[in-house]
Amino acid sequence: MKYCALKMEFFWGRGQESRRLLLLLLLLAAWEAGNGQLHYSVFEEAKHGNFVGRIAQDLGLELAELVPRLFRVASKGRGDLLEVNLQNGILFVNSRIDREELCGRSAECSIHLEVIVDRPLQVFHVDVEVKDINDNPPVFPATQKNLLIAESRPLDSRFPLEGASDADIGENAQLTYRLSPNEYFSLEKPSDDELVKGLGLILRKSLDREEAPEIFLVLTATDGGKPELTGTVQLLITVLDANDNAPAFDRTLYKVRLPENVPNGTLVIKLNASDLDEGLNGDIVYSFSNDISPNVKSKFHIDPITGQIIVKGYIDFEESKSYEIIVEGIDKGQLPLSGHCRVIVEVEDNNDNVPDLQFKSLSLPIREDAPLGTVVALISVSDKDVGVNGQVTCSLTPHVPFKLVSTFKNYYSLVLDSALDRESVPAYELVVTARDGGSPSLWATASVSVEVADVNDNAPAFAQPEYTVIVKENNPPGCHIFTVSAQDADAQENALVTYSLVERRVGERALSSYVSVHAESGKVYALQPLDHEELELLQFQVSARDAGVPPLGSNVTLQVFVLDVNDNPPALLAPRVGGIGGAVSELVPWSVGAGHVVAKVRAVDADSGYNAWLSYELQPGTGGERIPFRVGLYTGEISTTRALDEADAPRHRLLVLVKDHGDPALTATATVLVSLVESGQAPKVSSRALAGAVGPEAALVDVNVYLIIAICAVSSLLVLTLLLYTALRCSAPPTDGGCARGKPMLVCSSAVGSWSNSQQRRPRVCSGEGPPKTDLMAFSPSLSDSRDREDQLQPTEESFVKPRQPNPDWRYSASLRAGMHSSVHLEEAGILRAGPGAPDQQWPTVSSATPEPEAGEVSPPVGAGVNSNSWTFKYGPGNPKQSGPGELPDKFIIPGSPAIISIRQEPTNSQIDKSDFITFGKKEETKKKKKKKKGNKTQEKKEKGNSTTDNSDQ
């Protein structure tokens, strides 16, 4: 760089021409460096193995990478003249190089090599100049030439000669002529303008046939090579007798331009020669000189009479660009004389050659993630025409992600121009068109199929992110429950999908102990029988992975709902009192009337829905006697059907069949022993205890009175504490959103749409952000006036309550929907104590409002989603006291369920919602204590006792 700077500084002051020269040299050097071309030279006829150049070193390639990168040399139409030693990277002569054979008499002769290196693909261009050596001597058309010259020819007459030709070029082809010494002729050497004057003999001394009839001369041609080579021709001159005037042409040189491909018979030129003689001495015959080449004679014909030269062969510019014709005009004298002229026929090029288009190297297939600019193929184009007719341009099929880039002369690279996506287009059919500049232009096309190689760029995809599967419980182990399927848009191993479970814990066990998935087919199997009572919903994920590197994957969620099957028979609850050998023993006074509840059968079913909906039937006696008892179809309460008399047996063994509503139904049997006793012998128990709701307090009857007093005191203190806590909570602002923590009852629907009560824990349901409270359903019933009963044995009167429809925002669990299609009413279940001075009220239960086929019949299990037309509060016999006008009981129970329904009415001036509320929840968590007047302790104790009875019943 410093040297270049000094050179520029030196030449800058040398004038404008020096500056131009320096700029030209710099541009030339930049062009050479940009093209990446190497130049070597070698003499023709060099021996095999002759050193040409260190091509690998000059191209900047390491010797160790030549073989792995598939280093190779290609030469168009040159065979294997040159070769590269892959061990040392040297370019050497492989076979004989004949410059004349390669390039003819062209001034420039070089071998163009394409050096191609793969991985990555690179192309280099190398020109090896073939230098000429003087290996060809001058050659004359013939070894001997005969000349006929009349003795009467004047001095300085000129006789043209055909010169010698030398296949070499440059100084090796620069010929000098010399004539053997003689006294008659001198040699006229050709000047620089060969088209004007050529080689010939000049007559310097008059000929005398009598003195010298024949003259022998030797013409020698010597080239300028080192060493010099020579060629000779013998000239035999025959001296003729006088024919004074020789024919003379109008011009000694004619130039004609002739298009190529002209048809035979086309006139080239008409020559005209004249002779001053008369008669036969003035008649001229035209002919081609004997010295012209056979190629000219095959292309042209001259008419001997008219002198017209016409085409008789195929004229091809690519074969020869010009023809030189020597024409003689000979008269018919006895001693004929001749005149000579030269015709130069220049052939004009026509656009008659289609461009040649070839793919030199292909790097296929191409990866779809290949970077932009990746070379896909090398293309060479050529045209035998010249000028504009030989100027070729290439174009590519439109709308493809590739383009052509011109690299060197008539070479193009097919490179990637935009991103590929095999999933959109797996292959491209590319058509390259080469078109020359002729008018009209000619073109050629070449096509190549470019396949796009797949890359793992698509993860397996499921049709939907989540699937719902329904499986009945107690399935056989290993049964097929579902098939997952994922599609991968890639190909081959990139699209090979395998499936696996996303392992997690299900309770205390691993997911893989419940289900498995086949790795290839995606089939999901249940490995063991599923139990609805243990697991209602099994949610897990299946992963799909392809076999690409790196692998891609996606997950799909499966929700497996286990449907209940009636596989659990009803289970009887153990009797709380009076049990003998698993049977319930009850003592009933003779004096009880019709409808008196003597016992209650309790049973539960581990199933859900209709499979857990229990009904009770009293089996007929074995003796056929008429039994004065009945059992509630859905309550299990055993009551009298009439007043007892002395005709009835003192002991009754009642067999109660408990049956669920499954298909097929499962049953259990309970035995109740009823003994009829006198009124004094019956234990003093409340009607709630006789209704089957015997609680832990019943066991305290025979306990020491002091212990009873202590328990009552502790209970009173606990109740007082709860009342104070409730008062504080209720006095808080409504925005506190307080709600009691508890285990709310979930109302669910089975597949058949029945209602049941779930014992499972559920998330807290609260309003606002405060603590949770029990699940709540709001109704706004319109109350009809309640009518008092005069006597508890009189028929019950109903107080109608028309509830509003449930709030549409209410959400019910999918496993517990109402199976009720008729209105329901409230049936007696116990006694509800009112305030001071108010009558005791029967504890209501829910039963059908339709005419009862049997007393005590209850509609399908209720507890949520009430869609009835009316509510009826019915109070049975045994309680003469009824609620006042417009009053409702504050709570009632649901038969066969541990839940109660509380009905709360707020004062008219309360700040909360004026609607009545029905609250579902566990009885222990939903008990409410009414505030009573501080002065009436007797009534408070009475309510506490009644509450204790309620709890025992629950």
Side-chain angles (χ1 to χ4, degrees), residues 760-774:
Q760 299 181 5
R761 296 185 180 182
R762 292 293 182 238
R764 299 178 300 175
V765 180
C766 302
S767 62
E769 298 180 356
K773 48 187 176 179
T774 57

Side-chain angles (χ1 to χ4, degrees), residues 163-185:
S165 62
D166 197 328
D168 298 323
I169 63 169
E171 292 182 357
N172 296 330
Q174 291 182 0
L175 303 180
T176 58
Y177 297 90
R178 68 177 183 272
L179 191 61
S180 60
N182 67 94
E183 59 180 343
Y184 294 101
F185 296 93

Side-chain angles (χ1 to χ4, degrees), residues 73-263:
V73 176
S75 174
K76 180 180 179 182
R78 305 301 185 188
D80 56 346
L81 300 178
L82 300 174
E83 192 58 63
V84 176
N85 188 333
L86 297 181
Q87 303 300 322
N88 53 27
I90 293 177
L91 180 67
F92 63 94
V93 176
N94 189 45
S95 61
R96 175 178 174 269
I97 301 176
D98 188 353
R99 185 188 182 284
E100 289 71 30
E101 180 181 350
L102 288 176
C103 305
R105 295 187 57 82
S106 176
E108 295 180 0
C109 184
S110 62
I111 302 175
H112 180 72
L113 303 178
E114 296 172 9
V115 179
I116 302 173
V117 183
D118 290 332
R119 304 173 186 172
L121 180 63
Q122 290 180 285
V123 180
F124 304 94
H125 299 278
V126 179
D127 277 338
V128 179
E129 180 184 5
V130 179
K131 294 184 177 181
D132 182 50
I133 63 173
N134 193 23
D135 58 339
N136 292 284
V139 177
F140 287 93
T143 58
Q144 180 176 325
K145 182 174 178 60
N146 298 322
L147 296 176
L148 300 176
I149 302 176
E151 62 179 353
S152 60
R153 295 297 297 269
L155 296 178
D156 296 328
S157 294
R158 186 178 184 277
F159 304 96
L161 297 177
E162 184 71 12
S165 62
D166 197 328
D168 298 323
I169 63 169
E171 292 182 357
N172 296 330
Q174 291 182 0
L175 303 180
T176 58
Y177 297 90
R178 68 177 183 272
L179 191 61
S180 60
N182 67 94
E183 59 180 343
Y184 294 101
F185 296 93
S186 65
L187 184 63
E188 183 184 39
K189 298 179 180 179
S191 63
D192 294 337
D193 189 1
E194 297 185 0
L195 297 179
V196 176
K197 185 183 292 186
L199 184 65
L201 295 178
I202 305 298
L203 184 62
R204 297 303 183 187
K205 180 181 179 181
S206 298
L207 297 176
D208 187 358
R209 179 179 178 277
E210 287 73 24
E211 182 180 354
E214 291 182 341
I215 301 173
F216 290 92
L217 301 176
V218 176
L219 178 62
T220 302
T222 304
D223 60 23
K226 294 182 180 180
E228 298 177 346
L229 298 179
T230 61
T232 60
V233 61
Q234 292 184 352
L235 302 178
L236 177 57
I237 300 173
T238 302
V239 181
L240 300 177
D241 250 349
N243 183 7
D244 297 335
N245 295 287
F249 287 92
D250 298 337
R251 297 160 56 185
T252 58
L253 176 66
Y254 297 88
K255 288 185 178 180
V256 180
R257 300 182 68 85
L258 180 67
E260 66 173 333
N261 305 325
V262 295

Side-chain angles (χ1 to χ4, degrees), residues 20 96 114 157 189 299 462 514 679 869 875 905:
R20 292 178 180 172
R96 175 178 174 269
E114 296 172 9
S157 294
K189 298 179 180 179
K299 303 291 184 182
F462 292 93
Y514 287 94
S679 298
N869 296 324
Y875 301 87
Q905 287 184 303

Side-chain angles (χ1 to χ4, degrees), residues 353-463:
N353 290 280
V354 177
D356 181 35
L357 181 64
Q358 294 181 355
F359 284 93
K360 287 293 185 180
S361 179
L362 294 175
S363 296
L364 298 176
I366 181 172
R367 289 167 57 93
E368 62 177 320
D369 61 348
L372 301 185
T374 300
V375 179
V376 179
L378 295 178
I379 304 170
S380 68
V381 294
S382 61
D383 197 315
K384 294 181 180 180
D385 297 321
V386 297
V388 177
N389 296 332
Q391 294 178 358
V392 182
T393 57
C394 287
S395 62
L396 188 62
T397 308
H399 311 299
V400 293
F402 301 93
K403 66 178 179 179
L404 291 175
V405 177
S406 179
T407 55
F408 177 77
K409 291 182 180 179
N410 290 333
Y411 284 85
Y412 290 86
S413 296
L414 179 63
V415 299
L416 182 63
D417 187 42
S418 60
L420 299 174
D421 185 9
R422 189 205 66 83
E423 288 69 40
S424 299
V425 182
Y428 294 89
E429 292 295 331
L430 303 182
V431 178
V432 180
T433 303
R435 187 182 299 272
D436 61 27
S439 180
S441 63
L442 302 178
W443 68 89
T445 59
S447 61
V448 61
S449 179
V450 178
E451 180 182 356
V452 182
D454 184 51
V455 174
N456 191 26
D457 56 349
N458 289 278
F462 292 93

Side-chain angles (χ1 to χ4, degrees), residues 472-491:
K472 288 186 177 181
E473 66 175 331
N474 303 327
N475 56 282
C479 72
H480 172 232
I481 62 175
F482 194 69
T483 300
V484 295
S485 178
Q487 301 297 324
D488 196 311
D490 295 321

Side-chain angles (χ1 to χ4, degrees), residues 672-804:
V672 179
L673 301 177
V674 179
S675 299
L676 302 181
V677 297
E678 297 297 332
S679 298
Q681 299 178 358
K684 303 297 183 179
V685 294
S686 65
S687 60
R688 295 284 290 177
L690 293 177
V694 181
E697 291 80 358
L700 301 178
V701 175
D702 299 328
V703 182
N704 190 286
V705 65
Y706 299 106
L707 182 59
I708 295 175
I709 294 174
I711 292 174
C712 291
V714 173
S715 300
S716 301
L717 182 60
L718 176 61
V719 170
L720 181 61
T721 302
L722 292 175
L723 289 174
L724 291 175
Y725 176 75
T726 304
L728 292 176
R729 294 282 289 176
C730 293
S731 63
T735 56
D736 292 344
C739 53
R741 296 179 179 267
K743 300 178 181 178
M745 179 191 69
L746 177 64
V747 183
C748 304
S749 170
S750 68
V752 295
S754 65
W755 290 85
S756 63
N757 299 321
S758 171
Q759 302 300 322
Q760 299 181 5
R761 296 185 180 182
R762 292 293 182 238
R764 299 178 300 175
V765 180
C766 302
S767 62
E769 298 180 356
K773 48 187 176 179
T774 57
D775 295 341
L776 187 65
M777 277 189 5
F779 300 86
S780 297
S782 60
L783 305 177
S784 61
D785 294 338
S786 302
R787 291 173 293 181
D788 297 335
R789 292 190 303 174
E790 300 252 343
D791 189 86
Q792 69 176 16
L793 297 178
Q794 293 177 355
T796 60
E797 296 180 0
E798 300 177 351
S799 176
F800 293 95
V801 179
K802 295 182 180 179
R804 299 185 212 155

Side-chain angles (χ1 to χ4, degrees), residues 290-554:
N290 294 328
D291 296 332
I292 64 174
S293 65
N295 186 34
V296 174
K297 291 181 179 180
S298 65
K299 303 291 184 182
F300 302 98
H301 169 72
I302 188 170
D303 190 302
I305 305 300
T306 62
Q308 292 181 343
I309 300 177
I310 60 176
V311 177
K312 74 170 186 178
Y314 177 64
I315 305 299
D316 187 6
F317 175 83
E318 288 69 40
E319 179 182 343
S320 179
K321 297 177 177 57
S322 65
Y323 296 93
E324 182 179 357
I325 306 173
I326 300 177
V327 180
E328 292 182 337
I330 304 174
D331 58 26
K332 296 180 179 180
Q334 189 174 3
L335 296 176
L337 299 177
S338 63
H340 302 80
C341 73
R342 286 197 300 167
V343 179
I344 303 298
V345 180
E346 296 179 355
V347 181
E348 294 180 342
D349 181 43
N350 287 334
N351 191 25
D352 60 342
N353 290 280
V354 177
D356 181 35
L357 181 64
Q358 294 181 355
F359 284 93
K360 287 293 185 180
S361 179
L362 294 175
S363 296
L364 298 176
I366 181 172
R367 289 167 57 93
E368 62 177 320
D369 61 348
L372 301 185
T374 300
V375 179
V376 179
L378 295 178
I379 304 170
S380 68
V381 294
S382 61
D383 197 315
K384 294 181 180 180
D385 297 321
V386 297
V388 177
N389 296 332
Q391 294 178 358
V392 182
T393 57
C394 287
S395 62
L396 188 62
T397 308
H399 311 299
V400 293
F402 301 93
K403 66 178 179 179
L404 291 175
V405 177
S406 179
T407 55
F408 177 77
K409 291 182 180 179
N410 290 333
Y411 284 85
Y412 290 86
S413 296
L414 179 63
V415 299
L416 182 63
D417 187 42
S418 60
L420 299 174
D421 185 9
R422 189 205 66 83
E423 288 69 40
S424 299
V425 182
Y428 294 89
E429 292 295 331
L430 303 182
V431 178
V432 180
T433 303
R435 187 182 299 272
D436 61 27
S439 180
S441 63
L442 302 178
W443 68 89
T445 59
S447 61
V448 61
S449 179
V450 178
E451 180 182 356
V452 182
D454 184 51
V455 174
N456 191 26
D457 56 349
N458 289 278
F462 292 93
Q464 56 191 67
E466 184 176 280
Y467 292 93
T468 299
V469 182
I470 298 178
V471 180
K472 288 186 177 181
E473 66 175 331
N474 303 327
N475 56 282
C479 72
H480 172 232
I481 62 175
F482 194 69
T483 300
V484 295
S485 178
Q487 301 297 324
D488 196 311
D490 295 321
Q492 297 177 355
E493 67 274 1
N494 294 332
L496 184 61
V497 180
T498 56
Y499 304 91
S500 62
L501 285 177
V502 179
E503 188 63 82
R504 68 178 186 88
R505 305 292 296 179
V506 180
E508 299 297 328
R509 301 171 59 182
L511 173 65
S512 57
S513 65
Y514 287 94
V515 293
S516 68
V517 60
H518 193 272
E520 296 178 359
S521 65
K523 291 185 177 181
V524 181
Y525 299 94
L527 300 180
Q528 62 181 15
L530 299 177
D531 188 1
H532 173 79
E533 289 71 38
E534 176 188 349
L535 187 67
E536 294 183 8
L537 172 63
L538 179 61
Q539 181 170 319
F540 58 93
Q541 287 186 327
V542 176
S543 174
R545 298 280 176 184
D546 58 29
V549 179
L552 300 178
S554 61

